[in-house]
């Protein structure tokens, strides 16, 4: 009996992974040098490296997306290829879950173990004698060894508004997905466009929150372990919201061009998976960083 095999498309070697790696390297080095220069209140070349890295990353994303979209439109992808895309996206989101778990673990280690130990908990009764005189083993730790004080960012105001915005964006994205599955193009465009606008609003309010933290609360990257963990977690989440917004924008532009059908729209699903993941991470971050 003859057995039929479906074709499995294997693309040519791509330059985009190495371009993306170089772009991320420039972003990491540029961001580090920019922060160091800002802490010393002096200029530096870090910001230029950061801009070069961001430009290279955007160019890589545009070019790689263009290649994949062209291959899909040409009908080169098979059912097995679609399954491999789903597995790849699932593993990518899993790796992102582990990424944030590591940072949440660092947060819990600092507030539940390190700070009490430094205050003399357990068998460390003499530890607090080697720290600064005004040290108190409380969280958030708002006093630095230099004697500077800061204020904790409360959960009301901008953080709460941003939480509501992300929750609303998950709802609008769900309605967009339902419209896609029912081949209703107009509601699809409206709800997906609303999701993108909500994502942009979240990022704009986060910038405003950072300005408030620096100018009014003296909450900076130099504000000890609390400031470090606050900006580390919220900043990386903001990067993920930015990436998710870019993904949804690409999907929105493809929908305007008439791409996708109710039976074949995994690119839309992948972007939706990522956005819902970002929303869940924010809910955890809102509770662990702002509320508790």
């Amino acid at each position: 009996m003859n057995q039929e095999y479906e074709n499995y498309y294997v693309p040519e070697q791509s330059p985009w992974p190495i371009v993306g790696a170089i772009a991320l390297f420039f972003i990491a080095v540029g961001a580090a040098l920019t922060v160091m220069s800002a802490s010393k209140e002096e200029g530096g070349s870090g910001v230029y490296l950061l801009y070069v890295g961001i430009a290279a990353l955007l160019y890589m994303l545009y070019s790689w997306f263009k290649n994949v979209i062209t291959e899909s439109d040409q009908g080169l992808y098979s059912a097995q290829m679609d399954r491999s895309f789903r597995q790849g996206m699932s593993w990518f989101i899993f790796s992102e879950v582990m990424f944030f778990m590591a940072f949440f673990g660092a947060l819990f280690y600092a507030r539940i173990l390190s700070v009490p130990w430094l205050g003399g908990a357990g068998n460390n009764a003499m530890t607090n004698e080697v720290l600064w005189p005004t040290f108190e083993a409380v969280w958030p730790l708002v006093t630095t060894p230099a004697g500077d004080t800061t204020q904790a960012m409360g959960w009301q105001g901008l953080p709460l508004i941003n939480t509501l915005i992300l929750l609303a964006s998950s709802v609008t994205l769900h309605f967009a997905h339902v419209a896609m599955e029912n081949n209703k193009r107009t509601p699809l465009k409206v709800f997906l466009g609303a999701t993108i606008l909500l994502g942009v609003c979240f990022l704009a309010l986060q910038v405003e929150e950072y300005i408030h933290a620096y100018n009014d609360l003296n909450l900076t990257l130099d504000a000890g372990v609390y400031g470090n963990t606050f900006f580390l977690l919220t900043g990386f989440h903001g990067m993920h919201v930015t990436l998710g917004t870019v993904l949804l924008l690409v999907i929105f532009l493809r929908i305007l061009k008439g791409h996708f059908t109710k039976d074949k729209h995994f690119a839309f699903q992948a972007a939706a998976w990522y956005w819902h993941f970002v929303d869940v991470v924010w809910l955890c971050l809102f509770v662990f960083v702002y509320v508790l």
Side-chain angles (χ1 to χ4, degrees):
M1 182 177 63
N2 293 330
Q3 186 176 5
E4 294 184 0
Y5 295 92
E6 63 181 9
N7 293 327
Y8 187 88
Y9 175 67
V10 179
E12 297 180 358
Q13 290 185 348
S14 173
W16 306 126
I18 186 64
V19 172
I22 294 173
L24 291 175
F25 173 78
F26 276 108
I27 290 175
V29 174
L33 292 177
T34 301
V35 171
M36 293 172 61
S37 299
S39 64
K40 297 177 181 179
E41 297 183 354
E42 61 183 25
S45 60
V47 66
Y48 300 108
L49 292 177
L50 181 61
Y51 290 153
V52 169
I54 293 175
L57 184 65
L58 293 175
Y59 175 70
M60 181 274 296
L61 289 174
Y62 170 81
S63 302
W64 206 341
F65 284 171
K66 181 180 179 181
N67 287 355
V68 173
I69 293 170
T70 300
E71 293 166 355
S72 178
D73 289 342
Q74 292 175 350
L76 299 176
Y77 295 157
S78 62
Q80 175 59 34
M81 193 72 172
D82 186 67
R83 288 191 290 271
S84 69
F85 278 138
R86 292 175 183 274
Q87 292 173 0
M89 192 64 188
S90 299
W91 281 112
F92 171 67
I93 293 178
F94 176 76
S95 70
E96 294 287 87
V97 171
M98 293 297 101
F99 177 85
F100 277 100
M101 286 292 290
F103 288 123
F104 282 127
L107 172 65
F108 285 124
Y109 184 86
R111 66 182 299 173
I112 296 176
L113 297 177
S114 295
V115 171
W117 285 347
L118 292 173
N123 60 350
N124 301 289
M126 303 298 293
T127 304
N128 59 347
E129 295 185 4
V130 301
L131 300 175
W132 58 97
T134 59
F135 174 78
E136 293 183 24
V138 295
W139 188 268
L141 195 61
V142 294
T143 305
T144 67
D148 299 326
T149 59
T150 183
Q151 298 181 51
M153 181 68 72
W155 63 270
Q156 294 132 327
L158 291 176
L160 179 60
I161 294 173
N162 263 348
T163 302
L164 298 176
I165 286 175
L166 277 191
L167 289 175
S169 71
S170 275
V171 175
T172 56
L173 185 57
H174 171 72
F175 286 141
H177 195 182
V178 172
M180 171 72 80
E181 292 177 334
N182 290 279
N183 200 28
K184 296 180 179 180
R185 308 294 289 190
T186 299
L188 169 61
K189 296 173 186 176
V190 170
F191 284 117
L192 184 56
T195 304
I196 295 171
L197 289 177
L198 289 171
V200 173
C201 289
F202 176 91
L203 294 172
L205 289 179
Q206 188 169 49
V207 171
E208 185 176 345
E209 178 186 352
Y210 280 6
I211 294 174
H212 170 63
Y214 264 76
N215 294 337
D216 302 326
L217 303 181
N218 197 30
L219 179 58
T220 68
L221 282 171
D222 295 332
V225 66
Y226 172 67
N228 294 159
T229 54
F230 173 81
F231 285 106
L232 186 71
L233 282 163
T234 59
F236 271 118
H237 180 269
M239 289 177 56
H240 285 73
V241 174
T242 303
L243 177 57
T245 304
V246 171
L247 291 176
L248 292 178
L249 180 60
V250 171
I251 297 301
F252 183 73
L253 295 176
R254 292 189 63 186
I255 290 172
L256 293 180
K257 287 180 170 291
H259 293 192
F260 307 124
T261 65
K262 65 178 182 178
D263 299 318
K264 189 175 181 180
H265 54 267
F266 174 67
F268 176 91
Q269 283 184 308
W273 290 355
Y274 188 80
W275 191 259
H276 290 310
F277 154 74
V278 168
D279 289 352
V280 172
V281 170
W282 175 259
L283 289 178
C284 297
L285 193 152
F286 178 70
V287 173
F288 297 146
V289 174
Y290 291 94
V291 177
L292 297 181

